[in-house]
Amino acid sequence: MKVLVLGAGVVGVTTAYYLWRDGHEVTVLDRQAGPGFETSFGNAGGLCPSFAGPWAAPGMVSKVLKMSLQGDSPIRFSLKPEIRKLQWLRLWLANCNTESFRVNKLRMQKVAHYSMACLKDLVDSTALTGFDFHADGVLQLFRTAAELEMGHASARALAEFGVPWRMLDAAGLNLVEPALAHSTVGVAGALHLPLDASGDSHRFVLSLGAWLEARGVSFLYNTAVEAIAHDAGAITGVRTAATAAGAGSLLQSDAYVVALGSYAPLMLAPLGIRLPIYPLKGYSITVPVTDEALAPRAAIMDEHNKVMISRLGNRIRAAGMAELTGYDLSLVPSRKDLLVRVVREIFPRGLDFDQVSFWAGLRPMTPDGPPILGKTRWPNLFLNSGHGSNGWTQACGTSRIVADVVSGKSPDIDIEGLTAGRFGAG
Ligand SMILES: Cc1cc2nc3c(=O)[nH]c(=O)nc-3n(C[C@H](O)[C@H](O)[C@H](O)COP(=O)(O)OP(=O)(O)OC[C@H]3O[C@@H](n4cnc5c(N)ncnc54)[C@H](O)[C@@H]3O)c2cc1C
């Protein structure tokens, strides 16, 4: 079967891989000049199934309100009234309770752990390298006694979900991450999550895209989707926008998979599919390593500032913040300053803070947490969107699932609660 994948982020490219593996004739299109140039470009690099969980949680409303009053709050809202944002917030609020959190967390954990197994299998099958993969676990760092106490509570919850962990004191921490010895802030302890890993998702899609291209998958870059065309019963093609090189065209296929990240709802609304995916803006910095012995070697989540710091080869990446400001991608200098300050406090040496690259991206967030996968009301249109803050972690698993659905096979894991049906959409 001919399958057209819309979007060449980490989700679109991994979807192409599994469809190709199932024997389909696959084409991937993207408006950018190559794969992974939007949200999959500069994320924190965390492959963290142990963390996977919804942002809609009991107690989150007061936490968010308290945080947003801080001077350099990691959370910001634009006060501009916007129907989609208000609808998303309404659904998010409805999920901030114990039972919804438990159900959504279980769904996300299931997908994320499955995804890590799929990623390892993909790497073994393709011998893919060059994406700074580091599979030695992730540290969740607690600066204060109160944070450490919260860490013990979250460790108990991890045990409930069957996720392994060990709590490290300062001495144990120095063995895992010697660079912390130079930290200018106190560290009360850390949770070591051995199943988690890190890697550069942009380098991953570059490598996987080239690997697939060499095996016959077609990639159409600089090709923007303008609309998805249909007749009464099915999708009939994808209309592409005109470029300086020529007029747009109608690309036709047997099946279509939408992997457009935060832009999926805009493309699907004219088809009557109303997905509650909102772009949640975040920022990252990338800093070159200058001294191997002094630079961090592990991936670390700084719980105090909700900033993730990953070692990606000869660089470190630090990312965080959440802004509900629509599709705005402007780079706000104070956000860069905050990220630099956080990294410098923990790792003051071994990094070149004069050569910092700054980036912003849009997490395609669903209000309840899990992504939106599988069938739609159109028999030849499928979804692989809404991966939120876990898209790199979940991409291989969700793409394996969606390729199975496209191929008419039963996915390895139950997808109840992972389809558009849970929102009455699709
Ligand atoms: C600050 C930050 C930190 C993060 N940290 C992590 C992390 O540590 N771990 C983790 O697992 N996840 C993390 N994420 C989330 C992760 O990056 C995303 O979930 C993931 O990249 C989403 O992938 P995607 O392929 O769905 O979207 P994208 O990568 O955005 O891909 C969508 C593609 O669709 C294309 N497109 C859109 N509209 C059109 C159109 N009209 N025509 C043609 N092409 C179009 C775009 O060009 C783009 O390439 C983070 C995100 C941010 C912002």
Side-chain angles (χ1 to χ4, degrees), residues 7 9-11 30-32 38-40 43-46 223-225 259-261 263 267 282-283 319 361 363-364 387-393:
V10 68
V11 172
D30 200 287
R31 61 186 171 191
Q32 298 290 345
E38 297 206 3
T39 309
S40 303
N43 63 38
T223 306
V225 180
L260 295 170
Y263 296 85
M267 210 47 75
Y283 297 86
R363 302 174 186 90
H387 294 66
S389 56
N390 292 287
W392 174 210
T393 305

PDB file of all heavy atoms in Angstrom, residues 7 9-11 30-32 38-40 43-46 223-225 259-261 263 267 282-283 319 361 363-364 387-393, ligand 1:
ATOM      1  N   GLY A   7       4.582  15.229   7.938  1.00  0.00           N
ATOM      2  CA  GLY A   7       5.425  15.671   9.048  1.00  0.00           C
ATOM      3  C   GLY A   7       6.648  14.777   9.196  1.00  0.00           C
ATOM      4  O   GLY A   7       6.520  13.549   9.262  1.00  0.00           O
ATOM      5  N   GLY A   9       9.011  15.117  11.751  1.00  0.00           N
ATOM      6  CA  GLY A   9       9.614  15.222  13.077  1.00  0.00           C
ATOM      7  C   GLY A   9       9.961  13.802  13.527  1.00  0.00           C
ATOM      8  O   GLY A   9       9.874  12.845  12.742  1.00  0.00           O
ATOM      9  N   VAL A  10      10.322  13.673  14.808  1.00  0.00           N
ATOM     10  CA  VAL A  10      10.707  12.341  15.285  1.00  0.00           C
ATOM     11  C   VAL A  10       9.531  11.364  15.169  1.00  0.00           C
ATOM     12  O   VAL A  10       9.727  10.170  14.907  1.00  0.00           O
ATOM     13  CB  VAL A  10      11.278  12.424  16.733  1.00  0.00           C
ATOM     14  CG1 VAL A  10      10.217  12.791  17.760  1.00  0.00           C
ATOM     15  CG2 VAL A  10      11.959  11.136  17.122  1.00  0.00           C
ATOM     16  N   VAL A  11       8.307  11.886  15.266  1.00  0.00           N
ATOM     17  CA  VAL A  11       7.138  11.005  15.179  1.00  0.00           C
ATOM     18  C   VAL A  11       6.908  10.571  13.719  1.00  0.00           C
ATOM     19  O   VAL A  11       6.692   9.386  13.434  1.00  0.00           O
ATOM     20  CB  VAL A  11       5.891  11.708  15.779  1.00  0.00           C
ATOM     21  CG1 VAL A  11       4.634  10.897  15.537  1.00  0.00           C
ATOM     22  CG2 VAL A  11       6.098  11.937  17.279  1.00  0.00           C
ATOM     23  N   ASP A  30       7.454  17.330   4.453  1.00  0.00           N
ATOM     24  CA  ASP A  30       7.614  18.327   5.525  1.00  0.00           C
ATOM     25  C   ASP A  30       7.881  19.696   4.900  1.00  0.00           C
ATOM     26  O   ASP A  30       8.521  19.787   3.846  1.00  0.00           O
ATOM     27  CB  ASP A  30       8.779  17.951   6.450  1.00  0.00           C
ATOM     28  CG  ASP A  30       8.661  18.647   7.813  1.00  0.00           C
ATOM     29  OD1 ASP A  30       8.907  19.880   7.879  1.00  0.00           O
ATOM     30  OD2 ASP A  30       8.305  17.973   8.790  1.00  0.00           O
ATOM     31  N   ARG A  31       7.411  20.734   5.575  1.00  0.00           N
ATOM     32  CA  ARG A  31       7.604  22.089   5.043  1.00  0.00           C
ATOM     33  C   ARG A  31       9.040  22.584   5.226  1.00  0.00           C
ATOM     34  O   ARG A  31       9.466  23.534   4.593  1.00  0.00           O
ATOM     35  CB  ARG A  31       6.651  23.057   5.723  1.00  0.00           C
ATOM     36  CG  ARG A  31       6.826  23.170   7.229  1.00  0.00           C
ATOM     37  CD  ARG A  31       5.741  24.049   7.813  1.00  0.00           C
ATOM     38  NE  ARG A  31       5.746  24.023   9.271  1.00  0.00           N
ATOM     39  CZ  ARG A  31       4.779  24.528  10.010  1.00  0.00           C
ATOM     40  NH1 ARG A  31       3.733  25.084   9.442  1.00  0.00           N
ATOM     41  NH2 ARG A  31       4.830  24.474  11.325  1.00  0.00           N
ATOM     42  N   GLN A  32       9.785  21.929   6.117  1.00  0.00           N
ATOM     43  CA  GLN A  32      11.173  22.352   6.372  1.00  0.00           C
ATOM     44  C   GLN A  32      12.112  21.744   5.326  1.00  0.00           C
ATOM     45  O   GLN A  32      11.731  20.871   4.564  1.00  0.00           O
ATOM     46  CB  GLN A  32      11.602  21.926   7.774  1.00  0.00           C
ATOM     47  CG  GLN A  32      10.785  22.537   8.884  1.00  0.00           C
ATOM     48  CD  GLN A  32      11.034  24.038   9.069  1.00  0.00           C
ATOM     49  OE1 GLN A  32      12.010  24.593   8.557  1.00  0.00           O
ATOM     50  NE2 GLN A  32      10.143  24.699   9.777  1.00  0.00           N
ATOM     51  N   GLU A  38      11.598  21.196  13.629  1.00  0.00           N
ATOM     52  CA  GLU A  38      10.708  21.968  14.518  1.00  0.00           C
ATOM     53  C   GLU A  38      10.866  21.439  15.958  1.00  0.00           C
ATOM     54  O   GLU A  38      11.954  21.457  16.491  1.00  0.00           O
ATOM     55  CB  GLU A  38       9.291  21.983  13.949  1.00  0.00           C
ATOM     56  CG  GLU A  38       9.314  22.716  12.585  1.00  0.00           C
ATOM     57  CD  GLU A  38       8.033  23.380  12.142  1.00  0.00           C
ATOM     58  OE1 GLU A  38       7.042  23.367  12.871  1.00  0.00           O
ATOM     59  OE2 GLU A  38       8.034  23.927  11.011  1.00  0.00           O
ATOM     60  N   THR A  39       9.808  20.950  16.599  1.00  0.00           N
ATOM     61  CA  THR A  39       9.937  20.618  18.029  1.00  0.00           C
ATOM     62  C   THR A  39      10.982  19.524  18.288  1.00  0.00           C
ATOM     63  O   THR A  39      11.588  19.479  19.360  1.00  0.00           O
ATOM     64  CB  THR A  39       8.573  20.216  18.610  1.00  0.00           C
ATOM     65  OG1 THR A  39       7.644  21.233  18.272  1.00  0.00           O
ATOM     66  CG2 THR A  39       8.614  20.094  20.115  1.00  0.00           C
ATOM     67  N   SER A  40      11.197  18.648  17.318  1.00  0.00           N
ATOM     68  CA  SER A  40      12.170  17.567  17.536  1.00  0.00           C
ATOM     69  C   SER A  40      13.612  18.058  17.440  1.00  0.00           C
ATOM     70  O   SER A  40      14.548  17.274  17.592  1.00  0.00           O
ATOM     71  CB  SER A  40      11.931  16.443  16.514  1.00  0.00           C
ATOM     72  OG  SER A  40      10.605  15.988  16.611  1.00  0.00           O
ATOM     73  N   ASN A  43      14.890  19.694  21.762  1.00  0.00           N
ATOM     74  CA  ASN A  43      14.314  19.307  23.059  1.00  0.00           C
ATOM     75  C   ASN A  43      15.413  18.868  24.029  1.00  0.00           C
ATOM     76  O   ASN A  43      16.586  18.799  23.673  1.00  0.00           O
ATOM     77  CB  ASN A  43      13.228  18.236  22.886  1.00  0.00           C
ATOM     78  CG  ASN A  43      13.763  16.946  22.310  1.00  0.00           C
ATOM     79  OD1 ASN A  43      14.855  16.528  22.634  1.00  0.00           O
ATOM     80  ND2 ASN A  43      12.987  16.317  21.440  1.00  0.00           N
ATOM     81  N   ALA A  44      15.001  18.534  25.256  1.00  0.00           N
ATOM     82  CA  ALA A  44      15.996  18.259  26.305  1.00  0.00           C
ATOM     83  C   ALA A  44      16.776  16.974  26.056  1.00  0.00           C
ATOM     84  O   ALA A  44      17.795  16.736  26.699  1.00  0.00           O
ATOM     85  CB  ALA A  44      15.298  18.186  27.655  1.00  0.00           C
ATOM     86  N   GLY A  45      16.285  16.131  25.165  1.00  0.00           N
ATOM     87  CA  GLY A  45      17.021  14.901  24.856  1.00  0.00           C
ATOM     88  C   GLY A  45      16.739  13.753  25.807  1.00  0.00           C
ATOM     89  O   GLY A  45      17.328  12.684  25.688  1.00  0.00           O
ATOM     90  N   GLY A  46      15.800  13.958  26.738  1.00  0.00           N
ATOM     91  CA  GLY A  46      15.514  12.905  27.711  1.00  0.00           C
ATOM     92  C   GLY A  46      14.676  11.782  27.111  1.00  0.00           C
ATOM     93  O   GLY A  46      13.651  12.027  26.480  1.00  0.00           O
ATOM     94  N   THR A 223       7.976  21.263   1.400  1.00  0.00           N
ATOM     95  CA  THR A 223       6.646  20.956   0.865  1.00  0.00           C
ATOM     96  C   THR A 223       5.622  21.151   1.983  1.00  0.00           C
ATOM     97  O   THR A 223       5.516  20.299   2.883  1.00  0.00           O
ATOM     98  CB  THR A 223       6.613  19.487   0.354  1.00  0.00           C
ATOM     99  OG1 THR A 223       7.685  19.321  -0.573  1.00  0.00           O
ATOM    100  CG2 THR A 223       5.293  19.156  -0.312  1.00  0.00           C
ATOM    101  N   ALA A 224       4.909  22.261   1.934  1.00  0.00           N
ATOM    102  CA  ALA A 224       3.941  22.557   3.006  1.00  0.00           C
ATOM    103  C   ALA A 224       2.554  22.057   2.621  1.00  0.00           C
ATOM    104  O   ALA A 224       2.108  22.252   1.490  1.00  0.00           O
ATOM    105  CB  ALA A 224       3.899  24.059   3.259  1.00  0.00           C
ATOM    106  N   VAL A 225       1.896  21.396   3.565  1.00  0.00           N
ATOM    107  CA  VAL A 225       0.512  20.968   3.333  1.00  0.00           C
ATOM    108  C   VAL A 225      -0.376  22.199   3.471  1.00  0.00           C
ATOM    109  O   VAL A 225      -0.283  22.937   4.455  1.00  0.00           O
ATOM    110  CB  VAL A 225       0.071  19.939   4.403  1.00  0.00           C
ATOM    111  CG1 VAL A 225      -1.363  19.491   4.158  1.00  0.00           C
ATOM    112  CG2 VAL A 225       1.013  18.765   4.449  1.00  0.00           C
ATOM    113  N   ALA A 259       1.305  13.415  11.270  1.00  0.00           N
ATOM    114  CA  ALA A 259       2.318  13.503  12.336  1.00  0.00           C
ATOM    115  C   ALA A 259       2.839  14.941  12.345  1.00  0.00           C
ATOM    116  O   ALA A 259       4.039  15.185  12.250  1.00  0.00           O
ATOM    117  CB  ALA A 259       3.439  12.496  12.079  1.00  0.00           C
ATOM    118  N   LEU A 260       1.904  15.877  12.455  1.00  0.00           N
ATOM    119  CA  LEU A 260       2.244  17.301  12.314  1.00  0.00           C
ATOM    120  C   LEU A 260       2.450  18.003  13.656  1.00  0.00           C
ATOM    121  O   LEU A 260       2.418  19.230  13.734  1.00  0.00           O
ATOM    122  CB  LEU A 260       1.142  18.018  11.517  1.00  0.00           C
ATOM    123  CG  LEU A 260       0.994  17.577  10.049  1.00  0.00           C
ATOM    124  CD1 LEU A 260      -0.273  18.159   9.435  1.00  0.00           C
ATOM    125  CD2 LEU A 260       2.205  18.001   9.219  1.00  0.00           C
ATOM    126  N   GLY A 261       2.648  17.233  14.723  1.00  0.00           N
ATOM    127  CA  GLY A 261       2.922  17.830  16.030  1.00  0.00           C
ATOM    128  C   GLY A 261       1.840  18.823  16.419  1.00  0.00           C
ATOM    129  O   GLY A 261       0.633  18.548  16.318  1.00  0.00           O
ATOM    130  N   TYR A 263       0.734  21.314  14.980  1.00  0.00           N
ATOM    131  CA  TYR A 263      -0.060  21.865  13.873  1.00  0.00           C
ATOM    132  C   TYR A 263      -1.155  20.909  13.401  1.00  0.00           C
ATOM    133  O   TYR A 263      -1.959  21.267  12.545  1.00  0.00           O
ATOM    134  CB  TYR A 263       0.869  22.272  12.712  1.00  0.00           C
ATOM    135  CG  TYR A 263       1.806  23.387  13.146  1.00  0.00           C
ATOM    136  CD1 TYR A 263       3.004  23.085  13.795  1.00  0.00           C
ATOM    137  CD2 TYR A 263       1.453  24.716  12.987  1.00  0.00           C
ATOM    138  CE1 TYR A 263       3.839  24.089  14.265  1.00  0.00           C
ATOM    139  CE2 TYR A 263       2.285  25.729  13.451  1.00  0.00           C
ATOM    140  CZ  TYR A 263       3.467  25.412  14.090  1.00  0.00           C
ATOM    141  OH  TYR A 263       4.281  26.409  14.557  1.00  0.00           O
ATOM    142  N   MET A 267      -4.773  21.479  10.747  1.00  0.00           N
ATOM    143  CA  MET A 267      -4.959  20.801   9.459  1.00  0.00           C
ATOM    144  C   MET A 267      -6.201  19.911   9.472  1.00  0.00           C
ATOM    145  O   MET A 267      -6.818  19.665   8.443  1.00  0.00           O
ATOM    146  CB  MET A 267      -3.702  19.972   9.185  1.00  0.00           C
ATOM    147  CG  MET A 267      -3.353  19.783   7.745  1.00  0.00           C
ATOM    148  SD  MET A 267      -3.418  21.296   6.812  1.00  0.00           S
ATOM    149  CE  MET A 267      -1.924  22.099   7.361  1.00  0.00           C
ATOM    150  N   GLY A 282       8.367  25.846  25.064  1.00  0.00           N
ATOM    151  CA  GLY A 282       9.484  25.640  25.988  1.00  0.00           C
ATOM    152  C   GLY A 282      10.761  26.136  25.336  1.00  0.00           C
ATOM    153  O   GLY A 282      10.778  26.470  24.138  1.00  0.00           O
ATOM    154  N   TYR A 283      11.813  26.226  26.120  1.00  0.00           N
ATOM    155  CA  TYR A 283      13.090  26.761  25.618  1.00  0.00           C
ATOM    156  C   TYR A 283      14.220  25.794  25.937  1.00  0.00           C
ATOM    157  O   TYR A 283      14.148  25.035  26.913  1.00  0.00           O
ATOM    158  CB  TYR A 283      13.414  28.081  26.316  1.00  0.00           C
ATOM    159  CG  TYR A 283      12.424  29.188  26.072  1.00  0.00           C
ATOM    160  CD1 TYR A 283      11.289  29.309  26.867  1.00  0.00           C
ATOM    161  CD2 TYR A 283      12.620  30.115  25.060  1.00  0.00           C
ATOM    162  CE1 TYR A 283      10.373  30.335  26.665  1.00  0.00           C
ATOM    163  CE2 TYR A 283      11.716  31.149  24.850  1.00  0.00           C
ATOM    164  CZ  TYR A 283      10.598  31.254  25.653  1.00  0.00           C
ATOM    165  OH  TYR A 283       9.697  32.266  25.449  1.00  0.00           O
ATOM    166  N   ALA A 319      16.839  22.275  29.137  1.00  0.00           N
ATOM    167  CA  ALA A 319      15.539  22.727  28.614  1.00  0.00           C
ATOM    168  C   ALA A 319      14.481  22.744  29.697  1.00  0.00           C
ATOM    169  O   ALA A 319      14.547  21.977  30.660  1.00  0.00           O
ATOM    170  CB  ALA A 319      15.095  21.810  27.473  1.00  0.00           C
ATOM    171  N   GLY A 361      10.673  25.813  21.269  1.00  0.00           N
ATOM    172  CA  GLY A 361       9.847  24.851  20.524  1.00  0.00           C
ATOM    173  C   GLY A 361       8.480  24.703  21.171  1.00  0.00           C
ATOM    174  O   GLY A 361       8.262  25.146  22.307  1.00  0.00           O
ATOM    175  N   ARG A 363       5.605  22.173  22.447  1.00  0.00           N
ATOM    176  CA  ARG A 363       5.203  20.800  22.779  1.00  0.00           C
ATOM    177  C   ARG A 363       3.743  20.604  22.349  1.00  0.00           C
ATOM    178  O   ARG A 363       2.876  21.384  22.768  1.00  0.00           O
ATOM    179  CB  ARG A 363       5.274  20.558  24.285  1.00  0.00           C
ATOM    180  CG  ARG A 363       6.627  20.783  24.913  1.00  0.00           C
ATOM    181  CD  ARG A 363       6.494  20.639  26.430  1.00  0.00           C
ATOM    182  NE  ARG A 363       7.703  20.961  27.169  1.00  0.00           N
ATOM    183  CZ  ARG A 363       8.013  22.180  27.620  1.00  0.00           C
ATOM    184  NH1 ARG A 363       7.201  23.199  27.388  1.00  0.00           N
ATOM    185  NH2 ARG A 363       9.115  22.372  28.296  1.00  0.00           N
ATOM    186  N   PRO A 364       3.462  19.564  21.568  1.00  0.00           N
ATOM    187  CA  PRO A 364       2.055  19.329  21.183  1.00  0.00           C
ATOM    188  C   PRO A 364       1.299  18.639  22.322  1.00  0.00           C
ATOM    189  O   PRO A 364       1.214  17.424  22.375  1.00  0.00           O
ATOM    190  CB  PRO A 364       2.173  18.422  19.944  1.00  0.00           C
ATOM    191  CG  PRO A 364       3.548  17.825  20.006  1.00  0.00           C
ATOM    192  CD  PRO A 364       4.393  18.603  20.956  1.00  0.00           C
ATOM    193  N   HIS A 387       2.132  14.344  21.347  1.00  0.00           N
ATOM    194  CA  HIS A 387       3.067  13.661  22.251  1.00  0.00           C
ATOM    195  C   HIS A 387       3.580  14.540  23.380  1.00  0.00           C
ATOM    196  O   HIS A 387       4.374  14.087  24.209  1.00  0.00           O
ATOM    197  CB  HIS A 387       4.243  13.099  21.446  1.00  0.00           C
ATOM    198  CG  HIS A 387       3.844  12.014  20.491  1.00  0.00           C
ATOM    199  ND1 HIS A 387       3.030  12.240  19.413  1.00  0.00           N
ATOM    200  CD2 HIS A 387       4.137  10.700  20.456  1.00  0.00           C
ATOM    201  CE1 HIS A 387       2.839  11.107  18.764  1.00  0.00           C
ATOM    202  NE2 HIS A 387       3.501  10.157  19.375  1.00  0.00           N
ATOM    203  N   GLY A 388       3.183  15.813  23.385  1.00  0.00           N
ATOM    204  CA  GLY A 388       3.489  16.697  24.513  1.00  0.00           C
ATOM    205  C   GLY A 388       4.961  16.765  24.859  1.00  0.00           C
ATOM    206  O   GLY A 388       5.822  16.936  23.988  1.00  0.00           O
ATOM    207  N   SER A 389       5.240  16.604  26.162  1.00  0.00           N
ATOM    208  CA  SER A 389       6.622  16.753  26.636  1.00  0.00           C
ATOM    209  C   SER A 389       7.392  15.437  26.570  1.00  0.00           C
ATOM    210  O   SER A 389       8.505  15.345  27.074  1.00  0.00           O
ATOM    211  CB  SER A 389       6.607  17.257  28.078  1.00  0.00           C
ATOM    212  OG  SER A 389       5.850  16.374  28.865  1.00  0.00           O
ATOM    213  N   ASN A 390       6.779  14.411  25.947  1.00  0.00           N
ATOM    214  CA  ASN A 390       7.415  13.081  25.915  1.00  0.00           C
ATOM    215  C   ASN A 390       7.553  12.511  24.509  1.00  0.00           C
ATOM    216  O   ASN A 390       7.587  11.296  24.333  1.00  0.00           O
ATOM    217  CB  ASN A 390       6.579  12.094  26.740  1.00  0.00           C
ATOM    218  CG  ASN A 390       6.617  12.409  28.208  1.00  0.00           C
ATOM    219  OD1 ASN A 390       7.620  12.190  28.859  1.00  0.00           O
ATOM    220  ND2 ASN A 390       5.536  12.967  28.717  1.00  0.00           N
ATOM    221  N   GLY A 391       7.598  13.381  23.509  1.00  0.00           N
ATOM    222  CA  GLY A 391       7.548  12.873  22.129  1.00  0.00           C
ATOM    223  C   GLY A 391       8.764  12.069  21.719  1.00  0.00           C
ATOM    224  O   GLY A 391       8.653  11.107  20.951  1.00  0.00           O
ATOM    225  N   TRP A 392       9.913  12.415  22.203  1.00  0.00           N
ATOM    226  CA  TRP A 392      11.131  11.664  21.874  1.00  0.00           C
ATOM    227  C   TRP A 392      11.066  10.319  22.590  1.00  0.00           C
ATOM    228  O   TRP A 392      11.372   9.276  22.033  1.00  0.00           O
ATOM    229  CB  TRP A 392      12.323  12.523  22.267  1.00  0.00           C
ATOM    230  CG  TRP A 392      13.733  12.039  22.202  1.00  0.00           C
ATOM    231  CD1 TRP A 392      14.738  12.464  23.026  1.00  0.00           C
ATOM    232  CD2 TRP A 392      14.361  11.128  21.290  1.00  0.00           C
ATOM    233  NE1 TRP A 392      15.927  11.858  22.683  1.00  0.00           N
ATOM    234  CE2 TRP A 392      15.721  11.032  21.626  1.00  0.00           C
ATOM    235  CE3 TRP A 392      13.885  10.355  20.236  1.00  0.00           C
ATOM    236  CZ2 TRP A 392      16.627  10.215  20.947  1.00  0.00           C
ATOM    237  CZ3 TRP A 392      14.786   9.529  19.552  1.00  0.00           C
ATOM    238  CH2 TRP A 392      16.130   9.469  19.905  1.00  0.00           C
ATOM    239  N   THR A 393      10.607  10.352  23.840  1.00  0.00           N
ATOM    240  CA  THR A 393      10.492   9.126  24.632  1.00  0.00           C
ATOM    241  C   THR A 393       9.459   8.160  24.031  1.00  0.00           C
ATOM    242  O   THR A 393       9.642   6.949  24.064  1.00  0.00           O
ATOM    243  CB  THR A 393      10.053   9.488  26.078  1.00  0.00           C
ATOM    244  OG1 THR A 393      10.971  10.444  26.591  1.00  0.00           O
ATOM    245  CG2 THR A 393      10.012   8.283  26.985  1.00  0.00           C
TER     246      THR A 393
HETATM  247  C1  LIG B   1      11.698  22.634  25.566  1.00  0.00           C
HETATM  248  C2  LIG B   1      11.275  21.220  25.206  1.00  0.00           C
HETATM  249  C3  LIG B   1      11.893  20.146  25.839  1.00  0.00           C
HETATM  250  C4  LIG B   1      11.494  18.844  25.550  1.00  0.00           C
HETATM  251  N1  LIG B   1      12.150  17.803  26.128  1.00  0.00           N
HETATM  252  C5  LIG B   1      11.795  16.518  25.828  1.00  0.00           C
HETATM  253  C6  LIG B   1      12.492  15.425  26.404  1.00  0.00           C
HETATM  254  O1  LIG B   1      13.463  15.588  27.140  1.00  0.00           O
HETATM  255  N2  LIG B   1      12.071  14.173  26.100  1.00  0.00           N
HETATM  256  C7  LIG B   1      11.006  13.937  25.292  1.00  0.00           C
HETATM  257  O2  LIG B   1      10.639  12.784  25.093  1.00  0.00           O
HETATM  258  N3  LIG B   1      10.348  14.959  24.686  1.00  0.00           N
HETATM  259  C8  LIG B   1      10.719  16.234  24.944  1.00  0.00           C
HETATM  260  N4  LIG B   1      10.054  17.292  24.369  1.00  0.00           N
HETATM  261  C9  LIG B   1       8.892  16.992  23.520  1.00  0.00           C
HETATM  262  C10 LIG B   1       9.299  16.520  22.133  1.00  0.00           C
HETATM  263  O3  LIG B   1      10.297  17.364  21.600  1.00  0.00           O
HETATM  264  C11 LIG B   1       8.066  16.535  21.223  1.00  0.00           C
HETATM  265  O4  LIG B   1       7.009  15.811  21.832  1.00  0.00           O
HETATM  266  C12 LIG B   1       8.361  15.897  19.873  1.00  0.00           C
HETATM  267  O5  LIG B   1       9.462  16.542  19.263  1.00  0.00           O
HETATM  268  C13 LIG B   1       7.145  15.996  18.957  1.00  0.00           C
HETATM  269  O6  LIG B   1       7.507  15.414  17.742  1.00  0.00           O
HETATM  270  P1  LIG B   1       6.577  15.547  16.478  1.00  0.00           P
HETATM  271  O7  LIG B   1       7.239  14.803  15.381  1.00  0.00           O
HETATM  272  O8  LIG B   1       5.180  15.205  16.865  1.00  0.00           O
HETATM  273  O9  LIG B   1       6.543  17.113  16.192  1.00  0.00           O
HETATM  274  P2  LIG B   1       7.602  18.056  15.307  1.00  0.00           P
HETATM  275  O10 LIG B   1       8.968  17.640  15.653  1.00  0.00           O
HETATM  276  O11 LIG B   1       7.177  19.406  15.553  1.00  0.00           O
HETATM  277  O12 LIG B   1       7.275  17.548  13.873  1.00  0.00           O
HETATM  278  C14 LIG B   1       6.145  17.984  13.150  1.00  0.00           C
HETATM  279  C15 LIG B   1       6.608  18.271  11.744  1.00  0.00           C
HETATM  280  O13 LIG B   1       5.474  18.693  10.980  1.00  0.00           O
HETATM  281  C16 LIG B   1       5.918  19.681  10.078  1.00  0.00           C
HETATM  282  N5  LIG B   1       4.769  20.488   9.683  1.00  0.00           N
HETATM  283  C17 LIG B   1       3.916  21.181  10.480  1.00  0.00           C
HETATM  284  N6  LIG B   1       2.958  21.775   9.737  1.00  0.00           N
HETATM  285  C18 LIG B   1       3.214  21.457   8.442  1.00  0.00           C
HETATM  286  C19 LIG B   1       2.584  21.734   7.209  1.00  0.00           C
HETATM  287  N7  LIG B   1       1.487  22.503   7.125  1.00  0.00           N
HETATM  288  N8  LIG B   1       3.097  21.197   6.083  1.00  0.00           N
HETATM  289  C20 LIG B   1       4.208  20.417   6.125  1.00  0.00           C
HETATM  290  N9  LIG B   1       4.850  20.114   7.260  1.00  0.00           N
HETATM  291  C21 LIG B   1       4.355  20.627   8.402  1.00  0.00           C
HETATM  292  C22 LIG B   1       6.956  20.468  10.844  1.00  0.00           C
HETATM  293  O14 LIG B   1       7.857  21.109   9.963  1.00  0.00           O
HETATM  294  C23 LIG B   1       7.623  19.407  11.693  1.00  0.00           C
HETATM  295  O15 LIG B   1       8.833  18.938  11.134  1.00  0.00           O
HETATM  296  C24 LIG B   1      10.436  18.618  24.622  1.00  0.00           C
HETATM  297  C25 LIG B   1       9.847  19.691  23.961  1.00  0.00           C
HETATM  298  C26 LIG B   1      10.264  20.993  24.241  1.00  0.00           C
HETATM  299  C27 LIG B   1       9.635  22.130  23.520  1.00  0.00           C
END
